Amino acid sequence: MADPKGFMTTPRETPARRPVELRLLDWREVYEPFPPSRLEQQAGRCMDCGIPFCHSGCPLGNLIPEWNDLVWRHDWQEAADRLHATNNFPEFTGRLCPAPCESACVLGINSDPVTIKQVEVEIIDRAFASGWVVPVPPAALTGRTVAVIGSGPAGLAAAQQLTRAGHEVTVFERDDEPGEGTKFRCGVDAGTDVTAEELQGSFDAIVLCGGARVPRDLSLPGRELGGIYQAMDYLPLSNRALIDRHEPPITARGRNVVIIGGGDTGADCLGTAHRQGAASVTQLEILPRPPASRPGHQPWPTYPIIYRVSSAHEEGGERAYAAATLGFHGDDAGQVRALQLADADGFEPVPGTERELPCDLVLLALGFTGAERPGLLTELGVAFDARGNAGRDDQYATSVPGVFAAGDMGRGQSLIVWAIAEGRSAAAAVDRYLGGASQLPAPIPASARPLS
């Protein structure tokens, strides 16, 4: 184990965030550097608890106590190897995952949990800086070909695993830049630029990892007004503008912004709007404000719904809870000028609480309702489940032989660690389909669900 008394003698510590007034001027890391010696002490808080529930909290089954112990012993390279044994992209999860592993940490029963997420990101950052992250080509090729649709975390994980198994993998990505990895064909909208028939004729197997891309909308009076956009119309354009160094076609600069939706996508919109120079930002959530601490009906080791302040919320703006949107008002030019809202009791507005909130940019961050159709899935003949996702069995196989589905396209909107775990598991299923057996790890069946 790590330091036998570490969890008793060392308090939990995380890196300080850069001052708000400075980080709003750029798009760089939010956190200050964290000295390795202090990080090693944090890893030493891992208490060798016998039954590490952090494994259950993370669908990837990350070997958390092992790499904590290795970091505490200053063996960072071996820690990186143990981290990569279960996680294709810790550089993503160490920054983007909300860390359900920490909610499941045994130390968290009566103290502050281990800073698992910070240890993870520090390991992978050092691994990249030290040149320890290298390609792992297969020993031999199988002669089989696989098409992966989508370069999100599920698609990338599936592609990397199948490439390592010796299959020739091509990733099709509709956007103009790849995530990273294998052999990419960017700017290709599968189902339009390449047909389902062409894919089935050219590849021995297809893995559908296109995500749950149908955004939830609001059918309310005034929805047709200009200045009301889906979050995923706004955010990608903002990212692309940074690369191309131009003003994005949808910008918050000088505008009064309202974000409808209190989740992670809404927080992304909040941080982006601040950096673009919004005059004001208000984020609306229809549910009541969560409690400050773990509620009794969400006991350890589940991931509790509690009030959290992300770096974006720390940077400013207003958060309104139990707020129901009733409609939108426009000006003479057909542009939104105000949002009509009321207090909410559950999902119903409270009579007599109606009021206007001035705004000239509204961003809808209400989640997603399933896989796109019509399109590639319809062309392939893939059956859908009751929630609008690609239907599949416990081995990720859809109703069409040789076609598999992983990530949000099959599970519905979920966390990045679930997408990677599904990509790894689907890769093992495809490998078995092509060769009759597989040595690839399969951390979860398609029916697995978070601790609840």
Side-chain angles (χ1 to χ4, degrees), residues 351-376:
T353 63
E354 297 85 358
R355 56 198 183 276
E356 282 192 9
L357 179 63
C359 58
D360 47 9
L361 176 62
V362 177
L363 302 173
L364 306 180
L366 299 165
F368 301 86
T369 61
E372 289 179 317
R373 52 178 156 173
L376 176 62

Side-chain angles (χ1 to χ4, degrees), residues 253-293:
R253 188 176 307 281
R255 303 172 82 172
N256 296 306
V257 182
V258 171
I259 302 163
I260 304 178
D264 292 341
T265 303
D268 290 342
C269 291
L270 180 64
T272 301
H274 282 141
R275 282 160 179 76
Q276 289 177 345
S280 69
V281 188
T282 304
Q283 187 175 13
L284 306 181
E285 168 59 60
I286 196 168
L287 297 175
R289 175 169 164 165
S293 58

Side-chain angles (χ1 to χ4, degrees), residues 199-346:
L199 287 170
Q200 289 177 302
S202 302
F203 295 93
D204 297 311
I206 301 170
V207 187
L208 302 171
C209 300
R213 295 184 62 123
V214 179
R216 183 174 284 108
D217 213 323
L218 286 177
S219 298
L220 295 174
R223 171 63 181 89
E224 75 285 352
L225 291 167
I228 304 173
Y229 301 95
Q230 288 288 348
M232 291 308 293
D233 291 331
Y234 168 70
L235 291 171
L237 292 173
S238 298
N239 287 340
R240 193 166 293 119
L242 288 173
I243 298 171
D244 298 338
R245 299 182 181 277
H246 62 67
E247 186 80 356
I250 305 172
T251 180
R253 188 176 307 281
R255 303 172 82 172
N256 296 306
V257 182
V258 171
I259 302 163
I260 304 178
D264 292 341
T265 303
D268 290 342
C269 291
L270 180 64
T272 301
H274 282 141
R275 282 160 179 76
Q276 289 177 345
S280 69
V281 188
T282 304
Q283 187 175 13
L284 306 181
E285 168 59 60
I286 196 168
L287 297 175
R289 175 169 164 165
S293 58
R294 183 190 290 273
H297 65 281
Q298 296 173 358
W300 175 90
T302 62
Y303 185 75
I305 305 301
I306 59 175
Y307 181 72
R308 293 180 170 89
V309 178
S310 72
S311 60
H313 296 125
E314 186 183 59
E315 291 164 1
E318 299 294 327
R319 300 169 80 178
Y321 287 94
T325 303
L326 306 179
F328 307 96
H329 301 298
D331 59 19
D332 293 340
Q335 297 292 307
V336 67
R337 64 166 182 80
L339 180 146
Q340 185 79 11
L341 77 159
D343 294 344
D345 181 7

Side-chain angles (χ1 to χ4, degrees), residues 111-137:
S111 184
D112 294 327
V114 175
T115 56
I116 299 170
K117 181 176 175 178
Q118 190 61 38
V119 175
E120 178 178 328
V121 77
E122 295 286 352
I123 291 171
I124 188 58
D125 282 356
R126 178 175 288 210
F128 272 109
S130 302
W132 300 334
V133 182
V134 296
V136 184

Side-chain angles (χ1 to χ4, degrees), residues 173-186:
E173 171 55 54
R174 71 172 59 172
D175 290 331
D176 53 6
E177 294 286 343
E180 66 172 75
T182 299
K183 175 181 177 184
F184 282 84
R185 289 183 60 184
C186 295

Side-chain angles (χ1 to χ4, degrees), residues 12 45-47 49 51-55 57 64 68 99-116 294 300-302 451:
R12 177 183 167 98
R45 296 182 71 237
C46 190
M47 55 191 287
C49 51
I51 301 177
F53 272 79
C54 55
H55 286 192
I64 295 165
N68 274 330
C101 53
E102 293 190 12
S103 296
C105 174
V106 173
L107 184 57
I109 294 175
N110 61 354
S111 184
D112 294 327
V114 175
T115 56
I116 299 170
R294 183 190 290 273
W300 175 90
T302 62
L451 291 171

